[in-house]
Amino acid sequence: MAGPGPYDPLNRNNLGRSVAEAMLEQQIQGLGDVKRFSGAGIYAIYYTGKFACYDVIAKQNRKGKFQRPIYVGKAVPSGARKGNVQGGGMGSPLFGRINEHAESVRKADNLDIADFQCRYLVVEDIWIPLGESLLIARFSPVWNKLVDGFGNHDPGSGRHKGMRSRWDTLHPGRPWVPKFEERNETADEIAKDVVAYLAAMPEPVAHMLGPSDDNGNGHGK
């Protein structure tokens, strides 16, 4: 059986990997302390507090380690077509998205904005979705994979149909959420799912993005 082909640094997935790695090298900031900046891109949010079900990841993020994001996301230029604009040329969508998340945390009854940090990277828009998807695949952040709804917006007047999210059930406080129907599971039940989910996750590794592309051009770890 033939071995893997030669490593191709210009392969699409390898270029996406370099974007994700570059984001992970950015300086950590308090989630509530980010100053306005221009551009679109990708980001990761980290938790270091004492909410019991997040104890595993909080420990992995304390003492300056920041090894396990609780959430990973992206912000693309509004109305832009992929590949046609630079990440820094379409207003401040990345700052806006991070700021929205900070407001969600502030409104939650049982979270403290001081326990959240983030890092972000302004990126050419063509690489934003791939960078985000690689980071989510690597870290499986609990607010992306299990506790949905952190990134939800108020849908506006007359559009509050359906069931409230797991995130809003576990972290009540956003003023528009009570307009949605309650879930058929409790916050305690969701918290137990979180504990089991995090207990089953492997320990984080320093260099993250594993085997490479689907054409066999990978270089391993």
Side-chain angles (χ1 to χ4, degrees):
M1 183 175 178
Y7 175 65
D8 179 5
L10 298 182
N11 174 274
R12 179 177 179 273
N13 279 4
N14 290 332
L15 288 169
R17 240 173 226 93
S18 70
V19 170
E21 291 279 13
M23 196 283 295
L24 292 173
E25 294 172 356
Q26 299 306 301
Q27 181 180 355
I28 287 285
Q29 300 185 43
L31 181 62
D33 300 329
V34 178
K35 305 300 183 185
R36 179 174 292 275
F37 61 92
S38 297
I42 56 178
Y43 60 92
I45 295 174
Y46 299 83
Y47 180 68
T48 56
K50 296 181 179 180
F51 197 82
C53 68
Y54 301 137
D55 186 57
V56 169
I57 52 176
K59 287 178 178 177
Q60 293 172 348
N61 291 331
R62 291 175 187 148
K63 299 181 180 180
K65 293 185 289 187
F66 299 107
Q67 294 175 316
R68 178 79 69 185
I70 197 169
Y71 187 79
V72 165
K74 69 178 184 297
V76 298
S78 177
R81 292 182 297 171
K82 280 187 180 180
N84 280 3
V85 298
Q86 294 184 347
M90 294 293 290
S92 302
L94 183 53
F95 167 78
R97 191 65 172 146
I98 292 170
N99 191 55
E100 287 174 1
H101 291 321
E103 287 303 307
S104 290
V105 169
R106 289 188 181 102
K107 288 181 170 65
D109 296 340
N110 50 18
L111 297 175
D112 186 341
I113 190 68
D115 295 329
F116 288 84
Q117 296 77 34
C118 71
R119 50 168 51 110
Y120 59 86
L121 181 69
V122 174
V123 181
E124 295 279 356
D125 69 310
I126 192 172
W127 300 114
I128 292 172
L130 182 57
E132 180 202 35
S133 66
L134 287 169
L135 288 165
I136 292 174
R138 170 61 186 89
F139 291 111
S140 296
V142 65
W143 284 1
N144 293 90
K145 293 288 192 174
L146 186 73
V147 183
D148 68 287
F150 177 55
N152 290 357
H153 303 272
D154 183 349
S157 178
R159 299 176 63 187
H160 297 87
K161 296 181 180 180
M163 190 175 296
R164 67 189 63 176
S165 73
R166 291 189 113 196
W167 193 89
D168 288 294
T169 301
L170 188 58
H171 303 297
R174 293 195 284 196
W176 44 270
V177 170
K179 298 176 183 179
F180 289 95
E181 181 183 350
E182 289 188 12
R183 298 186 69 83
N184 58 3
E185 59 182 342
T186 67
D188 285 344
E189 289 170 336
I190 296 170
K192 289 178 182 177
D193 281 352
V194 171
V195 170
Y197 179 82
L198 295 176
M201 295 185 73
E203 287 291 316
V205 294
H207 286 282
M208 29 140 315
L209 295 169
S212 185
D213 61 283
D214 54 6
N215 293 321
N217 294 326
H219 64 294
K221 294 180 180 178

